[in-house]
Amino acid sequence: MTRKLGYATIENLRDFGDYAAGHRQMKKGVLYRSAHQAEASEEELEALRALGVNLIVDLRRPGERERNPSKRWKDFAAEVIENNHPEDGDDPWQTFMKHSEITSESMRDYMLKYYDHAPHEVRHIDLYTRWFQRLGETEGATLVHCAAGKDRTGILCALTHHIAGVHRDDIIADYLLTNDEERFARRMPLFAAHVEELTGKRPSDEAMRTTMGVEAEYLERAFAAMQRENGGLDGYLRDVLGVDGERRAAVERRILL
């Protein structure tokens, strides 16, 4: 099946439901993931509304939302989950880019270290917790997004898949759908120009390709952090995010046929 929706101004938009989940099946048209909507056209905002989106979790930092505010459709009434935890100086990604040599190797090393710590960042814990609380209590379609819809979004979608009972191979495969070569070719020049403006250094195409893409090992590093600190994904969901048996059952009812 084709999971990616053919939107031109909302990047990386796709349905992450409709997977086999043990002896059950995930619902289609309930769970969507994407990059931000700061560049969305009016037509595509209307198309997003037509999907029935009633709950959005914006995983971006306050500064990211300020730089690229989300556009909304007319008469927007969806619930939005976000937070305003104080910024600890500059955005860590921007700080890294400004003070490091931008190569494919350095970017990959940064991403691996990022995934080691991302599940246990306080602001992520808050957002992930609220997502699972509200997911089991709402109706209509939902949308998970961050800036590019790949890292923070990828971890949260993987956790949602885990609750559903999706096989680990399918969880990884869905995560890797971010690696869209057509999108990379379209966005890479713009992204490279942004990095050059930010840092004064023009990155190579190889470095940008690494920055824009994902690898299975990244997500596995997040899983390993949950295993190390919480005994696994179930322990992380229960002990860190508060997804107890009752809340888990509510999420299952919401996303499974």
Side-chain angles (χ1 to χ4, degrees):
M1 65 171 290
T2 300
R3 297 188 172 277
K4 299 176 183 178
L5 282 67
Y7 286 36
T9 62
I10 303 176
E11 296 283 344
N12 209 12
L13 177 61
R14 59 187 193 263
D15 190 325
F16 71 98
D18 201 25
Y19 279 100
H23 298 296
R24 301 180 70 178
Q25 183 78 15
M26 292 185 74
K27 295 176 183 177
K28 182 179 180 180
V30 171
L31 297 166
Y32 295 97
R33 56 180 291 175
S34 75
H36 65 68
Q37 299 95 60
E39 301 170 1
S41 67
E42 292 298 323
E43 293 76 13
E44 293 196 350
L45 288 173
E46 285 300 312
L48 198 62
R49 176 168 69 170
L51 294 176
V53 174
N54 287 327
L55 176 66
I56 298 172
V57 56
D58 185 341
L59 302 170
R60 295 177 298 169
R61 296 161 62 93
E64 293 175 286
R65 300 199 308 271
E66 183 177 350
R67 288 191 297 273
N68 294 293
S70 295
K71 293 183 178 179
R72 305 300 190 192
W73 53 85
K74 184 179 179 181
D75 300 323
F76 179 84
E79 177 183 355
V80 179
I81 296 172
E82 57 188 27
N83 67 20
N84 291 302
H85 282 256
E87 301 274 12
D88 296 323
D90 292 336
D91 183 306
W93 181 83
Q94 290 197 11
T95 300
F96 171 80
M97 297 291 279
K98 288 177 181 178
H99 301 290
S100 304
E101 183 182 1
I102 305 173
T103 66
S104 180
E105 293 76 15
S106 68
M107 292 310 306
R108 185 175 188 276
D109 184 62
Y110 174 86
M111 294 310 304
L112 288 169
K113 292 176 181 176
Y114 175 86
Y115 275 82
D116 286 339
H117 301 287
H120 295 95
E121 285 195 11
V122 173
R123 58 180 314 278
H124 295 166
I125 290 172
D126 172 60
L127 292 165
Y128 290 2
T129 297
R130 290 160 61 197
W131 159 253
F132 286 118
Q133 178 180 355
R134 297 299 298 140
L135 178 60
E137 299 172 349
T138 60
E139 297 181 355
T142 63
L143 176 65
V144 178
H145 80 90
C146 50
K150 68 185 191 77
D151 302 312
R152 292 163 286 190
T153 296
I155 294 171
L156 185 52
C157 292
L159 290 168
T160 307
H161 280 150
H162 178 76
I163 288 177
V166 174
H167 193 278
R168 180 68 67 91
D169 290 347
D170 286 333
I171 294 176
I172 297 294
D174 185 87
Y175 172 75
L176 293 175
L177 288 176
T178 284
N179 294 334
D180 182 335
E181 295 299 334
E182 181 180 337
R183 183 173 66 86
F184 289 168
R186 183 176 66 251
R187 298 292 296 183
M188 195 177 296
L190 297 173
F191 192 26
H194 169 70
V195 171
E196 185 174 19
E197 180 180 2
L198 177 70
T199 67
K201 297 172 285 188
R202 184 72 177 186
S204 67
D205 287 349
E206 183 183 10
M208 286 297 90
R209 171 62 178 75
T210 300
T211 305
M212 296 176 68
V214 293
E215 298 181 21
E217 187 177 354
Y218 297 169
L219 192 56
E220 294 289 1
R221 291 284 280 256
F223 292 162
M226 298 176 206
Q227 179 68 42
R228 184 171 57 251
E229 299 294 329
N230 313 108
L233 274 67
D234 291 324
Y236 174 80
L237 284 161
R238 182 187 62 247
D239 300 335
V240 179
L241 303 187
V243 183
D244 57 15
E246 181 179 355
R247 184 166 297 177
R248 188 163 186 152
V251 170
E252 291 173 351
R253 288 192 296 268
R254 179 77 162 86
I255 66 177
L256 291 172
L257 293 171

